[in-house]
C-alpha cells in the first residue's frame, strides 16, 4: 500500500506548487494613459466669509433704563426706524425745569429792557440779564436734546445682527447695544497667499459660491490689502456683491473664484486612477514597458480641473500610468494592455 500512496501525495504537492506559480505570474488586464502636459487656467480659488458693506454699533447718547426694544435680531431695519427707547421721565422733568427758567428769565429781561429805554437801569445790569436769558435758552435746548436722545433710531437700512441688552436694563452713555449691517451690497472677505497677489487687481471679476444658498453670484474685487498678515503671510481681499433680495447674510461662508488670463502646463489624470494608502499618501501605478509590470508610485496632488486632478510631483512626461484595472494591482504586478 505504501508504494501506491506516496506517488499520489507527490502528485498533489506538484499540483499545489503549479497553482501557486500560476497565481504568482497572473497577468492583469489594464488600460493606460501616457503622461502629458495640459494647458490649464491658473484661476485662484479661496474661501472667505460674508460681511455687510457697512456695519455700525449703536448706543444711547444718554444713560438710563431701557423702556422698549422695537426690533429683533435678524430682522430688516429701515433707515430712520426706531430701534429702542429709554425711560424719559427724568429728562422730561429736567426739560420742564429749563422751560420755567427760560420763562422767568424772559420776563426779567423784558422788564429791564423797558427800564433801559427810560435810562432807569445800568448797562451792566441789563447785560447780566441778557446773559442769563441766553444761558437759560441753551440749557433748554440741551434738555430738549436729552429727551430726544432717549429714542434710538437706525442711521442705515440693513439687518440687526446683534442685540446686547434687554428691557429694564440700566445702560450707560455710549455703550454699544445694537449692531446693524447694511446688506444691499455685501463684502466677501478672504485671504490670498502673497504668491498670488500679483494676479489680483481692483475691479477684477469674481464668482462667489454661497453653499448655504446653493447659488453662485458675480462680484468685483473692491479692496486689496496693502500689508501681509505677519503670521500667515496672506493679504486681505474683499469682493463686493450686489445682494438682490437680501438673501446673502453676514457670516455666511463663501467660496471665491478669481479668473486669471494666464495659463500653465500641468499633468492631469482621472481621479479614478489615484489611490490612497493607510497613511493618506496618494499613489498611481506606473508601467515599466521593459518588464511588462506596473509599479506603485507616490504622487503629490494639486487642484481639481474639469473632473481631473493635477499632479504636482511624482511623475515625468512620457511615462505611462494605469487608468483602469488598477484595483487588482499590487506593486510589481504583470500586466497586459486592453485593446
Amino acid at each position: 500500500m505504501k508504494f501506491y500512496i506516496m506517488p499520489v501525495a507527490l502528485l498533489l504537492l506538484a499540483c499545489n506548487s503549479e497553482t501557486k506559480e500560476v497565481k504568482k505570474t497572473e497577468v492583469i488586464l489594464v488600460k493606460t494613459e501616457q503622461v502629458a502636459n495640459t494647458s490649464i487656467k491658473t484661476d485662484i480659488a479661496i474661501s472667505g466669509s460674508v460681511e455687510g458693506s457697512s456695519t455700525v454699533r449703536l448706543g444711547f447718547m444718554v444713560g438710563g433704563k431701557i423702556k422698549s426694544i422695537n426690533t429683533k435680531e435678524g430682522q430688516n431695519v429701515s433707515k430712520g426706524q426706531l430701534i429702542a427707547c429709554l425711560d424719559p421721565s427724568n429728562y422730561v422733568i429736567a426739560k420742564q425745569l429749563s422751560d420755567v427758567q427760560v420763562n422767568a428769565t424772559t420776563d426779567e429781561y423784558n422788564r429791564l429792557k423797558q427800564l433801559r429805554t427810560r435810562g432807569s437801569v445800568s448797562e451792566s445790569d441789563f447785560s447780566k440779564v441778557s446773559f442769563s436769558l441766553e444761558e437759560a435758552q441753551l440749557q433748554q435746548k440741551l434738555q430738549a436734546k436729552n429727551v430726544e436722545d432717549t429714542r434710538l433710531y437706525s442711521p442705515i437700512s440693513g439687518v440687526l445682527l446683534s442685540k446686547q441688552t434687554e428691557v429694564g436694563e440700566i445702560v450707560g452713555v455710549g455703550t454699544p447695544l445694537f449692531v446693524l449691517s447694511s446688506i444691499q451690497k455685501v463684502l466677501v472677505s478672504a485671504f490670498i497667499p502673497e504668491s498670488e497677489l500679483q494676479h489680483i487687481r481692483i475691479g477684477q471679476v469674481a464668482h462667489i459660491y454661497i453653499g448655504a444658498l446653493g447659488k453662485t453670484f458675480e462680484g468685483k474685487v473692491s479692496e486689496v490689502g496693502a500689508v501681509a498678515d505677519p503670521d500667515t503671510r496672506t493679504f486681505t481681499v474683499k469682493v463686493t456683491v450686489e445682494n438682490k433680495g437680501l438673501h446673502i447674510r453676514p457670516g455666511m461662508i463663501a467660496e471665491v473664484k478669481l479668473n486669471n488670463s494666464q495659463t500653465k502646463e500641468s499633468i492631469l489624470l482621472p481621479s479614478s486612477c489615484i489611490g490612497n494608502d493607510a497613511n493618506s499618501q496618494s499613489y498611481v501605478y506606473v508601467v515599466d514597458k521593459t518588464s511588462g509590470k506596473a509599479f506603485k508610485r507616490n504622487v503629490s496632488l494639486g487642484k481639481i480641473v474639469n473632473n481631473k486632478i493635477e499632479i504636482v510631483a511624482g511623475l515625468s512626461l512620457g511615462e505611462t500610468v494605469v487608468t483602469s484595472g488598477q484595483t487588482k494591482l499590487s506593486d510589481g504586478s504583470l500586466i497586459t494592455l486592453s485593446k
Side-chain angles (χ1 to χ4, degrees):
M1 289 298 291
K2 291 182 181 180
F3 291 100
Y4 289 100
I5 292 173
M6 290 186 66
V8 172
L10 291 173
L11 180 61
L12 290 173
L13 288 172
C15 290
N16 289 337
S17 178
E18 289 177 5
T19 301
K20 290 179 181 179
E21 186 65 27
V22 170
K23 289 182 179 179
K24 184 178 180 180
T25 59
E26 181 181 0
V27 179
I28 300 173
L29 186 67
V30 298
K31 290 183 179 181
T32 62
E33 179 180 312
Q34 191 172 34
V35 176
N37 271 333
T38 302
S39 294
I40 62 173
K41 289 184 178 181
T42 55
D43 292 340
I44 302 168
I46 48 180
S47 294
S49 60
V50 176
E51 57 189 49
S53 57
S54 62
T55 300
V56 294
R57 292 166 176 80
L58 301 181
F60 287 96
M61 295 292 290
V62 294
K65 183 171 70 174
I66 299 289
K67 180 179 179 181
S68 64
I69 298 174
N70 301 319
T71 188
K72 297 180 180 179
E73 290 184 359
Q75 287 187 339
N76 292 328
V77 177
S78 301
K79 183 177 180 179
Q81 181 177 330
L82 182 64
I83 302 295
C85 296
L86 296 177
D87 183 350
S89 301
N90 293 343
Y91 298 104
V92 170
I93 293 172
K95 170 63 169 55
Q96 291 171 344
L97 288 173
S98 68
D99 291 341
V100 171
Q101 184 64 33
V102 167
N103 292 335
T105 308
T106 300
D107 289 343
E108 180 67 11
Y109 173 85
N110 290 334
R111 185 179 67 81
L112 292 181
K113 186 176 181 181
Q114 291 179 355
L115 293 175
R116 182 191 179 203
T117 59
R118 301 173 190 168
S120 301
V121 67
S122 66
E123 286 296 325
S124 175
D125 290 340
F126 185 74
S127 295
K128 288 180 181 179
V129 75
S130 297
F131 291 141
S132 296
L133 177 60
E134 184 177 357
E135 181 182 0
Q137 290 172 337
L138 290 174
Q139 186 66 27
Q140 184 184 48
K141 290 181 180 180
L142 176 61
Q143 297 303 331
K145 184 178 182 301
N146 287 342
V147 173
E148 179 62 25
D149 285 342
T150 61
R151 300 168 67 85
L152 186 63
Y153 298 92
S154 173
I156 62 172
S157 293
V159 62
L160 182 63
L161 298 185
S162 68
K163 173 175 65 71
Q164 304 296 328
T165 188
E166 296 294 340
V167 173
E169 184 176 353
I170 304 297
V171 298
V173 177
T175 303
L177 303 173
F178 304 92
V179 180
L180 288 169
S181 185
S182 176
I183 60 171
Q184 299 291 336
K185 292 181 180 180
V186 295
L187 296 176
V188 178
S189 182
F191 296 95
I192 190 167
E194 59 181 347
S195 60
E196 301 285 1
L197 189 64
Q198 58 182 322
H199 303 305
I200 306 300
R201 65 185 185 278
I202 300 295
Q204 184 175 355
V205 174
H207 293 91
I208 313 298
Y209 177 73
I210 308 291
L213 302 176
K215 293 182 179 180
T216 299
F217 303 84
E218 187 174 289
K220 290 186 178 180
V221 176
S222 55
E223 296 181 35
V224 178
V227 180
D229 183 280
D231 297 322
T232 63
R233 306 307 305 170
T234 58
F235 289 80
T236 302
V237 174
K238 292 190 177 182
V239 179
T240 300
V241 181
E242 293 286 345
N243 189 15
K244 296 180 180 179
L246 306 182
H247 299 302
I248 306 175
R249 292 299 183 101
M252 287 183 172
I253 302 300
E255 296 177 15
V256 182
K257 185 177 181 181
L258 296 162
N259 295 326
N260 189 354
S261 59
Q262 296 183 351
T263 60
K264 68 175 183 178
E265 298 294 314
S266 295
I267 296 172
L268 299 179
L269 290 178
S271 58
S272 59
C273 74
I274 300 171
N276 287 282
D277 61 21
N279 297 319
S280 298
Q281 171 63 55
S282 299
Y283 64 87
V284 296
Y285 282 98
V286 179
V287 175
D288 181 0
K289 295 181 179 179
T290 303
S291 63
K293 295 181 179 180
F295 294 93
K296 194 174 182 180
R297 178 85 61 82
N298 290 341
V299 293
S300 297
L301 307 182
K303 59 184 179 181
I304 299 175
V305 180
N306 297 328
N307 298 321
K308 290 190 175 183
I309 297 181
E310 180 185 15
I311 307 298
V312 296
L315 291 177
S316 300
L317 298 178
E319 291 187 303
T320 302
V321 174
V322 176
T323 58
S324 178
Q326 71 278 2
T327 56
K328 300 178 182 179
L329 297 177
S330 58
D331 196 32
S333 296
L334 285 172
I335 61 169
T336 183
L337 302 184
S338 174
K339 295 182 179 179

